[in-house]
Amino acid sequence: MLRRQARLRREYLYEKAEAAKDRATYERKRKIKEAIELGKPVPTELRHEADRLRELNALDDIAHEKPTDGIDSEYANAGVSDPKVLVTTSLDPSSKLTQFLKEMKLVIPNSHRMNRGGHTINEIVETCRADGFSDLVVLQEHRGIPDGMIVSHMPYGPTAYFGLHNVIMRHDIEQAAHVSEANPHIILHNLSTKMGERVGCILKHLFPVPKPESRRVISFVNQDDYISFRHHVYGKNGPDITLTEGGPRFELKLYQVKLGTIEQTEVENEYLLRPYMNSAKKRKAL
């Protein structure tokens, strides 16, 4: 089994690298083509291969299209079947983290709650792969306060690491709405950069496709790289529409995305927060 997993991982990485080369070549060909059409000089960094790229452009037919992200996107087949999510905690969770685990299990349809016990991360990941889980969510805490969430996509990644801030439990929200088991509509707001779209893809694919009549709404709203999570239920009261918060409520702060699953240490980082950069503009990710 371990050899098979290693072989499949190598094949995946090879196909991903080849797809990345195709996209890079496409971008260089596009720049050459635009320069010729607009009568501009060839970009300096492409002059050494300008002739070869012109020849490649001449060989392209009308049906030639931009390479797809099928191999590069680990979520290319999302929507074919509902996600199956395993939700657990760090070792020796407090009562508050255990309560938060129960509430997150209610938030994510088709999720399964697992008491951590003495299981290692490697054992949990192997269970996810063997039982066909699409994602693993691990909730963390510091001194009894939930302060972290890890979302690891199976079987090859990516894995996103978030800090949790201002966590308010469902039972602490006054007149919290009754939570149904209907699949929620997902709202992604202000996740417009390349990394923002990546994070939106990771988060939204924890949830199955909703039916049009579903009255649950989950929103991820980005402001200054803090993603506010809100969970509401709406209904009709005569001609008016009422919106009631279902909870829990918290903010997410992305600090790492790595191209592998949670137990893998020697994998490439797609994003890593560098809080001590001189430029705030460069630090901004989402």
Side-chain angles (χ1 to χ4, degrees), residues 16 19-20 23-24 27 66 69 72-75 158 188 190-202 222 225 227 254 257 259 268-271 284-286:
K16 183 169 182 172
R23 288 195 304 278
E27 286 300 319
K66 181 179 179 180
D69 290 339
D72 186 55
S73 173
E74 299 86 350
Y75 298 91
L188 302 175
N190 202 26
L191 293 167
S192 54
T193 65
K194 185 176 180 181
M195 184 50 60
E197 291 176 353
R198 176 68 152 165
V199 171
C201 184
I202 292 171
N222 172 50
D225 280 1
I227 303 173
L254 178 72
V257 177
L259 297 175
E268 180 184 352
N269 284 323
E270 185 173 356
Y271 170 78
K284 197 169 180 63
L286 307 177

PDB file of all heavy atoms in Angstrom, residues 16 19-20 23-24 27 66 69 72-75 158 188 190-202 222 225 227 254 257 259 268-271 284-286:
ATOM      1  N   LYS A  16       1.695  17.048 -12.935  1.00  0.00           N
ATOM      2  CA  LYS A  16       1.517  18.441 -12.534  1.00  0.00           C
ATOM      3  C   LYS A  16       2.647  19.315 -13.066  1.00  0.00           C
ATOM      4  O   LYS A  16       2.418  20.441 -13.539  1.00  0.00           O
ATOM      5  CB  LYS A  16       1.456  18.518 -11.011  1.00  0.00           C
ATOM      6  CG  LYS A  16       1.207  19.916 -10.485  1.00  0.00           C
ATOM      7  CD  LYS A  16       0.900  19.877  -9.009  1.00  0.00           C
ATOM      8  CE  LYS A  16       0.616  21.282  -8.505  1.00  0.00           C
ATOM      9  NZ  LYS A  16       0.146  21.303  -7.143  1.00  0.00           N
ATOM     10  N   ALA A  19       2.167  19.843 -16.791  1.00  0.00           N
ATOM     11  CA  ALA A  19       1.098  20.812 -17.045  1.00  0.00           C
ATOM     12  C   ALA A  19       1.577  22.236 -16.770  1.00  0.00           C
ATOM     13  O   ALA A  19       1.227  23.177 -17.491  1.00  0.00           O
ATOM     14  CB  ALA A  19      -0.120  20.485 -16.177  1.00  0.00           C
ATOM     15  N   ALA A  20       2.406  22.405 -15.741  1.00  0.00           N
ATOM     16  CA  ALA A  20       2.948  23.730 -15.432  1.00  0.00           C
ATOM     17  C   ALA A  20       3.858  24.220 -16.561  1.00  0.00           C
ATOM     18  O   ALA A  20       3.836  25.402 -16.918  1.00  0.00           O
ATOM     19  CB  ALA A  20       3.716  23.676 -14.111  1.00  0.00           C
ATOM     20  N   ARG A  23       1.671  25.447 -19.437  1.00  0.00           N
ATOM     21  CA  ARG A  23       1.079  26.759 -19.186  1.00  0.00           C
ATOM     22  C   ARG A  23       2.118  27.871 -19.310  1.00  0.00           C
ATOM     23  O   ARG A  23       1.822  28.959 -19.813  1.00  0.00           O
ATOM     24  CB  ARG A  23       0.437  26.790 -17.793  1.00  0.00           C
ATOM     25  CG  ARG A  23      -0.848  25.975 -17.702  1.00  0.00           C
ATOM     26  CD  ARG A  23      -1.625  26.325 -16.451  1.00  0.00           C
ATOM     27  NE  ARG A  23      -0.805  26.133 -15.252  1.00  0.00           N
ATOM     28  CZ  ARG A  23      -0.618  24.968 -14.655  1.00  0.00           C
ATOM     29  NH1 ARG A  23      -1.183  23.877 -15.155  1.00  0.00           N
ATOM     30  NH2 ARG A  23       0.123  24.881 -13.573  1.00  0.00           N
ATOM     31  N   ALA A  24       3.347  27.586 -18.835  1.00  0.00           N
ATOM     32  CA  ALA A  24       4.407  28.598 -18.944  1.00  0.00           C
ATOM     33  C   ALA A  24       4.753  28.868 -20.410  1.00  0.00           C
ATOM     34  O   ALA A  24       4.945  30.028 -20.809  1.00  0.00           O
ATOM     35  CB  ALA A  24       5.646  28.125 -18.183  1.00  0.00           C
ATOM     36  N   GLU A  27       2.068  31.040 -21.965  1.00  0.00           N
ATOM     37  CA  GLU A  27       2.173  32.454 -21.592  1.00  0.00           C
ATOM     38  C   GLU A  27       3.268  33.153 -22.393  1.00  0.00           C
ATOM     39  O   GLU A  27       3.106  34.298 -22.825  1.00  0.00           O
ATOM     40  CB  GLU A  27       2.451  32.583 -20.090  1.00  0.00           C
ATOM     41  CG  GLU A  27       1.247  32.279 -19.211  1.00  0.00           C
ATOM     42  CD  GLU A  27       0.075  33.209 -19.489  1.00  0.00           C
ATOM     43  OE1 GLU A  27       0.312  34.419 -19.688  1.00  0.00           O
ATOM     44  OE2 GLU A  27      -1.073  32.732 -19.535  1.00  0.00           O
ATOM     45  N   LYS A  66      -5.970  27.613 -24.569  1.00  0.00           N
ATOM     46  CA  LYS A  66      -5.090  27.675 -23.417  1.00  0.00           C
ATOM     47  C   LYS A  66      -5.107  26.346 -22.679  1.00  0.00           C
ATOM     48  O   LYS A  66      -6.169  25.739 -22.508  1.00  0.00           O
ATOM     49  CB  LYS A  66      -5.554  28.791 -22.475  1.00  0.00           C
ATOM     50  CG  LYS A  66      -4.693  28.965 -21.240  1.00  0.00           C
ATOM     51  CD  LYS A  66      -5.206  30.102 -20.391  1.00  0.00           C
ATOM     52  CE  LYS A  66      -4.355  30.268 -19.136  1.00  0.00           C
ATOM     53  NZ  LYS A  66      -4.833  31.376 -18.298  1.00  0.00           N
ATOM     54  N   ASP A  69      -6.307  23.565 -16.425  1.00  0.00           N
ATOM     55  CA  ASP A  69      -5.703  23.339 -15.115  1.00  0.00           C
ATOM     56  C   ASP A  69      -6.115  21.986 -14.544  1.00  0.00           C
ATOM     57  O   ASP A  69      -6.103  21.780 -13.344  1.00  0.00           O
ATOM     58  CB  ASP A  69      -6.136  24.445 -14.140  1.00  0.00           C
ATOM     59  CG  ASP A  69      -5.496  25.769 -14.491  1.00  0.00           C
ATOM     60  OD1 ASP A  69      -4.464  25.749 -15.186  1.00  0.00           O
ATOM     61  OD2 ASP A  69      -6.022  26.813 -14.077  1.00  0.00           O
ATOM     62  N   ASP A  72      -3.279  20.411 -12.613  1.00  0.00           N
ATOM     63  CA  ASP A  72      -2.794  21.314 -11.572  1.00  0.00           C
ATOM     64  C   ASP A  72      -3.837  21.519 -10.485  1.00  0.00           C
ATOM     65  O   ASP A  72      -3.503  21.692  -9.325  1.00  0.00           O
ATOM     66  CB  ASP A  72      -2.417  22.654 -12.196  1.00  0.00           C
ATOM     67  CG  ASP A  72      -1.769  23.567 -11.184  1.00  0.00           C
ATOM     68  OD1 ASP A  72      -0.781  23.141 -10.573  1.00  0.00           O
ATOM     69  OD2 ASP A  72      -2.252  24.686 -10.994  1.00  0.00           O
ATOM     70  N   SER A  73      -5.103  21.497 -10.847  1.00  0.00           N
ATOM     71  CA  SER A  73      -6.146  21.713  -9.854  1.00  0.00           C
ATOM     72  C   SER A  73      -6.539  20.389  -9.216  1.00  0.00           C
ATOM     73  O   SER A  73      -7.049  19.489  -9.882  1.00  0.00           O
ATOM     74  CB  SER A  73      -7.378  22.358 -10.496  1.00  0.00           C
ATOM     75  OG  SER A  73      -8.440  22.417  -9.560  1.00  0.00           O
ATOM     76  N   GLU A  74      -6.317  20.290  -7.910  1.00  0.00           N
ATOM     77  CA  GLU A  74      -6.690  19.066  -7.194  1.00  0.00           C
ATOM     78  C   GLU A  74      -8.201  18.942  -7.046  1.00  0.00           C
ATOM     79  O   GLU A  74      -8.697  17.915  -6.616  1.00  0.00           O
ATOM     80  CB  GLU A  74      -6.035  19.054  -5.813  1.00  0.00           C
ATOM     81  CG  GLU A  74      -4.527  19.068  -5.834  1.00  0.00           C
ATOM     82  CD  GLU A  74      -3.932  20.467  -5.925  1.00  0.00           C
ATOM     83  OE1 GLU A  74      -4.699  21.427  -6.166  1.00  0.00           O
ATOM     84  OE2 GLU A  74      -2.708  20.591  -5.764  1.00  0.00           O
ATOM     85  N   TYR A  75      -8.912  19.995  -7.439  1.00  0.00           N
ATOM     86  CA  TYR A  75     -10.369  19.999  -7.322  1.00  0.00           C
ATOM     87  C   TYR A  75     -11.041  19.925  -8.690  1.00  0.00           C
ATOM     88  O   TYR A  75     -12.190  20.327  -8.841  1.00  0.00           O
ATOM     89  CB  TYR A  75     -10.824  21.263  -6.585  1.00  0.00           C
ATOM     90  CG  TYR A  75     -10.298  21.354  -5.176  1.00  0.00           C
ATOM     91  CD1 TYR A  75      -9.088  21.988  -4.910  1.00  0.00           C
ATOM     92  CD2 TYR A  75     -10.981  20.787  -4.109  1.00  0.00           C
ATOM     93  CE1 TYR A  75      -8.584  22.071  -3.619  1.00  0.00           C
ATOM     94  CE2 TYR A  75     -10.493  20.865  -2.820  1.00  0.00           C
ATOM     95  CZ  TYR A  75      -9.297  21.501  -2.581  1.00  0.00           C
ATOM     96  OH  TYR A  75      -8.809  21.572  -1.301  1.00  0.00           O
ATOM     97  N   PRO A 158      -4.019  20.119  -1.704  1.00  0.00           N
ATOM     98  CA  PRO A 158      -3.161  20.900  -0.818  1.00  0.00           C
ATOM     99  C   PRO A 158      -3.632  20.890   0.627  1.00  0.00           C
ATOM    100  O   PRO A 158      -4.712  20.371   0.938  1.00  0.00           O
ATOM    101  CB  PRO A 158      -3.288  22.306  -1.408  1.00  0.00           C
ATOM    102  CG  PRO A 158      -4.693  22.349  -1.920  1.00  0.00           C
ATOM    103  CD  PRO A 158      -4.958  20.969  -2.462  1.00  0.00           C
ATOM    104  N   LEU A 188     -18.600  33.659  -1.446  1.00  0.00           N
ATOM    105  CA  LEU A 188     -17.195  34.046  -1.342  1.00  0.00           C
ATOM    106  C   LEU A 188     -17.092  35.507  -1.780  1.00  0.00           C
ATOM    107  O   LEU A 188     -17.442  35.838  -2.907  1.00  0.00           O
ATOM    108  CB  LEU A 188     -16.310  33.166  -2.232  1.00  0.00           C
ATOM    109  CG  LEU A 188     -16.370  31.657  -1.973  1.00  0.00           C
ATOM    110  CD1 LEU A 188     -15.538  30.917  -3.009  1.00  0.00           C
ATOM    111  CD2 LEU A 188     -15.889  31.324  -0.564  1.00  0.00           C
ATOM    112  N   ASN A 190     -14.682  39.048  -2.031  1.00  0.00           N
ATOM    113  CA  ASN A 190     -13.390  39.734  -1.984  1.00  0.00           C
ATOM    114  C   ASN A 190     -12.215  38.770  -1.921  1.00  0.00           C
ATOM    115  O   ASN A 190     -11.154  39.114  -1.400  1.00  0.00           O
ATOM    116  CB  ASN A 190     -13.336  40.716  -0.805  1.00  0.00           C
ATOM    117  CG  ASN A 190     -12.292  41.797  -1.024  1.00  0.00           C
ATOM    118  OD1 ASN A 190     -11.952  42.134  -2.158  1.00  0.00           O
ATOM    119  ND2 ASN A 190     -11.770  42.340   0.062  1.00  0.00           N
ATOM    120  N   LEU A 191     -12.378  37.571  -2.447  1.00  0.00           N
ATOM    121  CA  LEU A 191     -11.257  36.635  -2.601  1.00  0.00           C
ATOM    122  C   LEU A 191     -10.875  36.654  -4.080  1.00  0.00           C
ATOM    123  O   LEU A 191     -11.093  35.692  -4.815  1.00  0.00           O
ATOM    124  CB  LEU A 191     -11.661  35.231  -2.141  1.00  0.00           C
ATOM    125  CG  LEU A 191     -11.927  35.087  -0.640  1.00  0.00           C
ATOM    126  CD1 LEU A 191     -12.625  33.770  -0.341  1.00  0.00           C
ATOM    127  CD2 LEU A 191     -10.634  35.193   0.154  1.00  0.00           C
ATOM    128  N   SER A 192     -10.297  37.769  -4.510  1.00  0.00           N
ATOM    129  CA  SER A 192     -10.143  38.026  -5.938  1.00  0.00           C
ATOM    130  C   SER A 192      -8.742  37.789  -6.476  1.00  0.00           C
ATOM    131  O   SER A 192      -8.557  37.657  -7.681  1.00  0.00           O
ATOM    132  CB  SER A 192     -10.558  39.470  -6.248  1.00  0.00           C
ATOM    133  OG  SER A 192      -9.845  40.372  -5.419  1.00  0.00           O
ATOM    134  N   THR A 193      -7.723  37.730  -5.606  1.00  0.00           N
ATOM    135  CA  THR A 193      -6.372  37.481  -6.084  1.00  0.00           C
ATOM    136  C   THR A 193      -6.212  36.001  -6.417  1.00  0.00           C
ATOM    137  O   THR A 193      -7.096  35.186  -6.143  1.00  0.00           O
ATOM    138  CB  THR A 193      -5.337  37.878  -5.018  1.00  0.00           C
ATOM    139  OG1 THR A 193      -5.495  37.009  -3.881  1.00  0.00           O
ATOM    140  CG2 THR A 193      -5.527  39.323  -4.584  1.00  0.00           C
ATOM    141  N   LYS A 194      -5.062  35.670  -6.983  1.00  0.00           N
ATOM    142  CA  LYS A 194      -4.809  34.264  -7.328  1.00  0.00           C
ATOM    143  C   LYS A 194      -4.846  33.378  -6.092  1.00  0.00           C
ATOM    144  O   LYS A 194      -5.462  32.306  -6.094  1.00  0.00           O
ATOM    145  CB  LYS A 194      -3.456  34.143  -8.030  1.00  0.00           C
ATOM    146  CG  LYS A 194      -3.154  32.743  -8.547  1.00  0.00           C
ATOM    147  CD  LYS A 194      -1.855  32.706  -9.326  1.00  0.00           C
ATOM    148  CE  LYS A 194      -1.577  31.285  -9.846  1.00  0.00           C
ATOM    149  NZ  LYS A 194      -0.299  31.231 -10.602  1.00  0.00           N
ATOM    150  N   MET A 195      -4.200  33.817  -5.004  1.00  0.00           N
ATOM    151  CA  MET A 195      -4.232  33.040  -3.771  1.00  0.00           C
ATOM    152  C   MET A 195      -5.613  33.093  -3.128  1.00  0.00           C
ATOM    153  O   MET A 195      -6.058  32.126  -2.515  1.00  0.00           O
ATOM    154  CB  MET A 195      -3.158  33.552  -2.796  1.00  0.00           C
ATOM    155  CG  MET A 195      -3.038  32.748  -1.495  1.00  0.00           C
ATOM    156  SD  MET A 195      -2.901  30.945  -1.716  1.00  0.00           S
ATOM    157  CE  MET A 195      -1.413  30.827  -2.700  1.00  0.00           C
ATOM    158  N   GLY A 196      -6.311  34.223  -3.270  1.00  0.00           N
ATOM    159  CA  GLY A 196      -7.673  34.309  -2.745  1.00  0.00           C
ATOM    160  C   GLY A 196      -8.595  33.296  -3.416  1.00  0.00           C
ATOM    161  O   GLY A 196      -9.406  32.644  -2.754  1.00  0.00           O
ATOM    162  N   GLU A 197      -8.472  33.164  -4.739  1.00  0.00           N
ATOM    163  CA  GLU A 197      -9.271  32.182  -5.459  1.00  0.00           C
ATOM    164  C   GLU A 197      -8.904  30.763  -5.030  1.00  0.00           C
ATOM    165  O   GLU A 197      -9.768  29.890  -4.945  1.00  0.00           O
ATOM    166  CB  GLU A 197      -9.063  32.352  -6.964  1.00  0.00           C
ATOM    167  CG  GLU A 197      -9.665  33.646  -7.516  1.00  0.00           C
ATOM    168  CD  GLU A 197      -9.365  33.827  -8.986  1.00  0.00           C
ATOM    169  OE1 GLU A 197      -8.581  33.017  -9.547  1.00  0.00           O
ATOM    170  OE2 GLU A 197      -9.902  34.786  -9.592  1.00  0.00           O
ATOM    171  N   ARG A 198      -7.611  30.548  -4.779  1.00  0.00           N
ATOM    172  CA  ARG A 198      -7.156  29.229  -4.322  1.00  0.00           C
ATOM    173  C   ARG A 198      -7.777  28.884  -2.974  1.00  0.00           C
ATOM    174  O   ARG A 198      -8.292  27.786  -2.771  1.00  0.00           O
ATOM    175  CB  ARG A 198      -5.629  29.247  -4.230  1.00  0.00           C
ATOM    176  CG  ARG A 198      -5.002  27.982  -3.670  1.00  0.00           C
ATOM    177  CD  ARG A 198      -5.188  26.833  -4.621  1.00  0.00           C
ATOM    178  NE  ARG A 198      -4.107  25.867  -4.462  1.00  0.00           N
ATOM    179  CZ  ARG A 198      -4.154  24.644  -4.937  1.00  0.00           C
ATOM    180  NH1 ARG A 198      -5.225  24.224  -5.589  1.00  0.00           N
ATOM    181  NH2 ARG A 198      -3.133  23.819  -4.784  1.00  0.00           N
ATOM    182  N   VAL A 199      -7.739  29.839  -2.035  1.00  0.00           N
ATOM    183  CA  VAL A 199      -8.312  29.616  -0.710  1.00  0.00           C
ATOM    184  C   VAL A 199      -9.819  29.430  -0.799  1.00  0.00           C
ATOM    185  O   VAL A 199     -10.397  28.566  -0.126  1.00  0.00           O
ATOM    186  CB  VAL A 199      -7.957  30.788   0.227  1.00  0.00           C
ATOM    187  CG1 VAL A 199      -8.715  30.688   1.542  1.00  0.00           C
ATOM    188  CG2 VAL A 199      -6.455  30.819   0.489  1.00  0.00           C
ATOM    189  N   GLY A 200     -10.481  30.228  -1.645  1.00  0.00           N
ATOM    190  CA  GLY A 200     -11.916  30.055  -1.841  1.00  0.00           C
ATOM    191  C   GLY A 200     -12.254  28.675  -2.366  1.00  0.00           C
ATOM    192  O   GLY A 200     -13.251  28.065  -1.952  1.00  0.00           O
ATOM    193  N   CYS A 201     -11.402  28.162  -3.259  1.00  0.00           N
ATOM    194  CA  CYS A 201     -11.606  26.816  -3.804  1.00  0.00           C
ATOM    195  C   CYS A 201     -11.477  25.761  -2.700  1.00  0.00           C
ATOM    196  O   CYS A 201     -12.275  24.824  -2.612  1.00  0.00           O
ATOM    197  CB  CYS A 201     -10.585  26.566  -4.919  1.00  0.00           C
ATOM    198  SG  CYS A 201     -10.773  24.999  -5.789  1.00  0.00           S
ATOM    199  N   ILE A 202     -10.472  25.919  -1.840  1.00  0.00           N
ATOM    200  CA  ILE A 202     -10.255  24.969  -0.746  1.00  0.00           C
ATOM    201  C   ILE A 202     -11.444  24.963   0.206  1.00  0.00           C
ATOM    202  O   ILE A 202     -11.917  23.901   0.637  1.00  0.00           O
ATOM    203  CB  ILE A 202      -8.955  25.312   0.011  1.00  0.00           C
ATOM    204  CG1 ILE A 202      -7.736  25.055  -0.881  1.00  0.00           C
ATOM    205  CG2 ILE A 202      -8.836  24.520   1.310  1.00  0.00           C
ATOM    206  CD1 ILE A 202      -6.434  25.574  -0.308  1.00  0.00           C
ATOM    207  N   ASN A 222     -13.643  38.303   2.893  1.00  0.00           N
ATOM    208  CA  ASN A 222     -12.270  38.715   3.160  1.00  0.00           C
ATOM    209  C   ASN A 222     -12.172  40.227   3.326  1.00  0.00           C
ATOM    210  O   ASN A 222     -12.707  40.993   2.528  1.00  0.00           O
ATOM    211  CB  ASN A 222     -11.362  38.274   2.002  1.00  0.00           C
ATOM    212  CG  ASN A 222      -9.960  38.838   2.139  1.00  0.00           C
ATOM    213  OD1 ASN A 222      -9.345  38.734   3.196  1.00  0.00           O
ATOM    214  ND2 ASN A 222      -9.465  39.443   1.078  1.00  0.00           N
ATOM    215  N   ASP A 225      -7.098  40.487   4.562  1.00  0.00           N
ATOM    216  CA  ASP A 225      -6.545  39.134   4.738  1.00  0.00           C
ATOM    217  C   ASP A 225      -7.133  38.382   5.925  1.00  0.00           C
ATOM    218  O   ASP A 225      -6.628  37.324   6.303  1.00  0.00           O
ATOM    219  CB  ASP A 225      -5.018  39.159   4.847  1.00  0.00           C
ATOM    220  CG  ASP A 225      -4.357  39.282   3.483  1.00  0.00           C
ATOM    221  OD1 ASP A 225      -5.084  39.361   2.483  1.00  0.00           O
ATOM    222  OD2 ASP A 225      -3.115  39.280   3.423  1.00  0.00           O
ATOM    223  N   ILE A 227     -10.541  36.439   6.901  1.00  0.00           N
ATOM    224  CA  ILE A 227     -11.749  35.910   6.279  1.00  0.00           C
ATOM    225  C   ILE A 227     -12.795  35.680   7.360  1.00  0.00           C
ATOM    226  O   ILE A 227     -12.614  34.830   8.246  1.00  0.00           O
ATOM    227  CB  ILE A 227     -11.460  34.592   5.527  1.00  0.00           C
ATOM    228  CG1 ILE A 227     -10.364  34.808   4.481  1.00  0.00           C
ATOM    229  CG2 ILE A 227     -12.730  34.065   4.862  1.00  0.00           C
ATOM    230  CD1 ILE A 227      -9.897  33.514   3.814  1.00  0.00           C
ATOM    231  N   LEU A 254      -5.106  33.126   6.945  1.00  0.00           N
ATOM    232  CA  LEU A 254      -4.258  32.153   6.257  1.00  0.00           C
ATOM    233  C   LEU A 254      -2.788  32.440   6.538  1.00  0.00           C
ATOM    234  O   LEU A 254      -2.342  33.575   6.429  1.00  0.00           O
ATOM    235  CB  LEU A 254      -4.517  32.222   4.746  1.00  0.00           C
ATOM    236  CG  LEU A 254      -3.662  31.299   3.882  1.00  0.00           C
ATOM    237  CD1 LEU A 254      -4.098  29.849   4.044  1.00  0.00           C
ATOM    238  CD2 LEU A 254      -3.746  31.711   2.414  1.00  0.00           C
ATOM    239  N   VAL A 257       0.000  27.528   2.810  1.00  0.00           N
ATOM    240  CA  VAL A 257      -0.611  26.534   1.929  1.00  0.00           C
ATOM    241  C   VAL A 257       0.534  25.695   1.387  1.00  0.00           C
ATOM    242  O   VAL A 257       1.469  26.223   0.780  1.00  0.00           O
ATOM    243  CB  VAL A 257      -1.384  27.174   0.759  1.00  0.00           C
ATOM    244  CG1 VAL A 257      -1.935  26.084  -0.167  1.00  0.00           C
ATOM    245  CG2 VAL A 257      -2.521  28.047   1.261  1.00  0.00           C
ATOM    246  N   LEU A 259       1.780  22.107  -0.821  1.00  0.00           N
ATOM    247  CA  LEU A 259       1.343  21.207  -1.889  1.00  0.00           C
ATOM    248  C   LEU A 259       1.532  19.759  -1.464  1.00  0.00           C
ATOM    249  O   LEU A 259       2.347  19.017  -2.022  1.00  0.00           O
ATOM    250  CB  LEU A 259       2.131  21.500  -3.170  1.00  0.00           C
ATOM    251  CG  LEU A 259       1.924  22.897  -3.748  1.00  0.00           C
ATOM    252  CD1 LEU A 259       2.828  23.126  -4.935  1.00  0.00           C
ATOM    253  CD2 LEU A 259       0.468  23.103  -4.136  1.00  0.00           C
ATOM    254  N   GLU A 268       6.590  21.274  -1.115  1.00  0.00           N
ATOM    255  CA  GLU A 268       6.717  22.683  -1.502  1.00  0.00           C
ATOM    256  C   GLU A 268       5.598  23.526  -0.901  1.00  0.00           C
ATOM    257  O   GLU A 268       4.447  23.099  -0.820  1.00  0.00           O
ATOM    258  CB  GLU A 268       6.676  22.779  -3.030  1.00  0.00           C
ATOM    259  CG  GLU A 268       6.805  24.187  -3.575  1.00  0.00           C
ATOM    260  CD  GLU A 268       6.670  24.225  -5.085  1.00  0.00           C
ATOM    261  OE1 GLU A 268       6.621  23.140  -5.710  1.00  0.00           O
ATOM    262  OE2 GLU A 268       6.596  25.332  -5.633  1.00  0.00           O
ATOM    263  N   ASN A 269       5.963  24.715  -0.466  1.00  0.00           N
ATOM    264  CA  ASN A 269       4.967  25.681   0.010  1.00  0.00           C
ATOM    265  C   ASN A 269       4.448  26.489  -1.172  1.00  0.00           C
ATOM    266  O   ASN A 269       5.224  27.072  -1.928  1.00  0.00           O
ATOM    267  CB  ASN A 269       5.571  26.631   1.035  1.00  0.00           C
ATOM    268  CG  ASN A 269       5.739  25.982   2.388  1.00  0.00           C
ATOM    269  OD1 ASN A 269       4.905  25.194   2.814  1.00  0.00           O
ATOM    270  ND2 ASN A 269       6.821  26.302   3.075  1.00  0.00           N
ATOM    271  N   GLU A 270       3.136  26.515  -1.330  1.00  0.00           N
ATOM    272  CA  GLU A 270       2.529  27.382  -2.337  1.00  0.00           C
ATOM    273  C   GLU A 270       2.406  28.810  -1.809  1.00  0.00           C
ATOM    274  O   GLU A 270       2.495  29.774  -2.571  1.00  0.00           O
ATOM    275  CB  GLU A 270       1.159  26.842  -2.724  1.00  0.00           C
ATOM    276  CG  GLU A 270       0.497  27.594  -3.847  1.00  0.00           C
ATOM    277  CD  GLU A 270      -0.789  26.932  -4.311  1.00  0.00           C
ATOM    278  OE1 GLU A 270      -1.130  25.842  -3.801  1.00  0.00           O
ATOM    279  OE2 GLU A 270      -1.456  27.493  -5.194  1.00  0.00           O
ATOM    280  N   TYR A 271       2.218  28.928  -0.494  1.00  0.00           N
ATOM    281  CA  TYR A 271       2.141  30.250   0.139  1.00  0.00           C
ATOM    282  C   TYR A 271       2.629  30.116   1.568  1.00  0.00           C
ATOM    283  O   TYR A 271       2.359  29.129   2.259  1.00  0.00           O
ATOM    284  CB  TYR A 271       0.710  30.779   0.133  1.00  0.00           C
ATOM    285  CG  TYR A 271       0.535  32.019   0.986  1.00  0.00           C
ATOM    286  CD1 TYR A 271       0.951  33.263   0.521  1.00  0.00           C
ATOM    287  CD2 TYR A 271       0.000  31.932   2.273  1.00  0.00           C
ATOM    288  CE1 TYR A 271       0.815  34.397   1.310  1.00  0.00           C
ATOM    289  CE2 TYR A 271      -0.132  33.070   3.059  1.00  0.00           C
ATOM    290  CZ  TYR A 271       0.269  34.290   2.569  1.00  0.00           C
ATOM    291  OH  TYR A 271       0.150  35.414   3.358  1.00  0.00           O
ATOM    292  N   LYS A 284       0.210  41.303   1.566  1.00  0.00           N
ATOM    293  CA  LYS A 284      -1.202  41.053   1.290  1.00  0.00           C
ATOM    294  C   LYS A 284      -1.334  39.879   0.331  1.00  0.00           C
ATOM    295  O   LYS A 284      -0.726  39.865  -0.730  1.00  0.00           O
ATOM    296  CB  LYS A 284      -1.856  42.291   0.689  1.00  0.00           C
ATOM    297  CG  LYS A 284      -3.374  42.264   0.759  1.00  0.00           C
ATOM    298  CD  LYS A 284      -3.915  43.610   0.392  1.00  0.00           C
ATOM    299  CE  LYS A 284      -5.428  43.649   0.443  1.00  0.00           C
ATOM    300  NZ  LYS A 284      -5.948  43.404   1.787  1.00  0.00           N
ATOM    301  N   ALA A 285      -2.107  38.861   0.711  1.00  0.00           N
ATOM    302  CA  ALA A 285      -2.204  37.628  -0.073  1.00  0.00           C
ATOM    303  C   ALA A 285      -3.557  37.457  -0.743  1.00  0.00           C
ATOM    304  O   ALA A 285      -3.660  36.968  -1.853  1.00  0.00           O
ATOM    305  CB  ALA A 285      -1.922  36.405   0.806  1.00  0.00           C
ATOM    306  N   LEU A 286      -4.628  37.840  -0.046  1.00  0.00           N
ATOM    307  CA  LEU A 286      -5.957  37.531  -0.533  1.00  0.00           C
ATOM    308  C   LEU A 286      -6.612  38.746  -1.174  1.00  0.00           C
ATOM    309  O   LEU A 286      -7.669  38.636  -1.747  1.00  0.00           O
ATOM    310  CB  LEU A 286      -6.834  37.017   0.629  1.00  0.00           C
ATOM    311  CG  LEU A 286      -6.241  35.854   1.429  1.00  0.00           C
ATOM    312  CD1 LEU A 286      -7.151  35.492   2.565  1.00  0.00           C
ATOM    313  CD2 LEU A 286      -6.013  34.642   0.534  1.00  0.00           C
TER     314      LEU A 286
END
